[in-house]
Amino acid sequence: MRNKKNIIHLLLLALCIMTIGYAAFNSNLVINGSASIESNWDVEITGITSKEIHGGASNENPPVYTKTSATFKSILQSPGDFITYEVTVRNNGDIDARLDDIEMSDENNPAINFVLDGISEGDELDASEEVKFTVTVIYNNDVTSQPDSISSSLAINLNYVQK
């Protein structure tokens, strides 16, 4: 009988040890985490200047610009006159950019031509770098008499995307 009691005590002791062991190894593992993106997209116009003036051409007003637009008003007196403006675009952000699309629209005045040079679709503009390009306003040499329309305007949209 004593052996049966010892066996029961040993079984109870083993059961207690297994219960304590199970409790020790059965714990909840909780992993918490978070992530955030800290980036800055900031491609902007930082300057516009008159670089070359030919013939009787002049500026009606000094060029004006904001982060996203530039305005210049040119006076052209006779065929062959032109003004070249240098526009600076800077990537002040920390994300590299690529010029996806250039949209140019003007009033299609045959007496006044606009020429964009030094920038192309697909050009890359890395973070903290800048690009300079020119816009030339030209009084068309082929004009032989005073045109009916003596003004024209140009809009250029530079659509940058993440590289």
Side-chain angles (χ1 to χ4, degrees):
M1 180 90 153
R2 193 156 164 78
N3 281 342
K4 287 184 183 180
K5 280 186 179 182
N6 284 343
I7 291 175
I8 291 174
H9 285 113
L10 283 175
L11 288 174
L12 286 174
L13 182 63
L15 183 62
C16 286
I17 291 172
M18 288 183 357
T19 303
I20 292 170
Y22 177 77
F25 290 111
N26 184 23
S27 59
N28 289 331
L29 178 60
V30 178
I31 299 174
N32 290 320
S34 64
S36 63
I37 296 175
E38 301 261 339
S39 59
N40 180 25
W41 177 263
D42 187 13
V43 178
E44 65 178 309
I45 297 170
T46 58
I48 181 169
T49 56
S50 303
K51 292 306 275 183
E52 185 178 356
I53 299 174
H54 182 268
S58 62
N59 284 308
E60 184 175 324
N61 296 307
V64 177
Y65 63 91
T66 66
K67 288 179 88 167
T68 59
S69 67
T71 304
F72 43 87
K73 294 188 177 185
S74 309
I75 297 173
L76 305 171
Q77 293 183 356
S78 57
D81 288 356
F82 68 85
I83 298 182
T84 299
Y85 296 94
E86 183 177 71
V87 180
T88 304
V89 175
R90 182 164 181 78
N91 185 347
N92 290 318
D94 51 19
I95 300 172
D96 294 342
R98 180 179 53 80
L99 184 55
D100 186 50
D101 185 38
I102 300 173
E103 297 173 10
M104 286 182 59
S105 62
D106 65 49
E107 294 178 350
N108 294 320
N109 184 337
I112 302 172
N113 296 327
F114 298 97
V115 178
L116 186 67
D117 192 32
I119 195 167
S120 304
E121 292 176 359
D123 287 355
E124 296 178 354
L125 184 58
D126 292 337
S128 302
E129 291 188 356
E130 67 182 24
V131 63
K132 294 181 181 200
F133 66 94
T134 60
V135 177
T136 304
V137 183
I138 304 167
Y139 194 140
N140 188 345
N141 264 336
D142 296 333
V143 174
T144 56
S145 62
Q146 182 68 22
D148 294 334
S149 177
I150 57 171
S151 68
S152 187
S153 65
L154 169 72
I156 302 172
N157 292 320
L158 304 175
N159 299 312
Y160 279 93
V161 296
Q162 185 173 340
K163 180 176 161 184

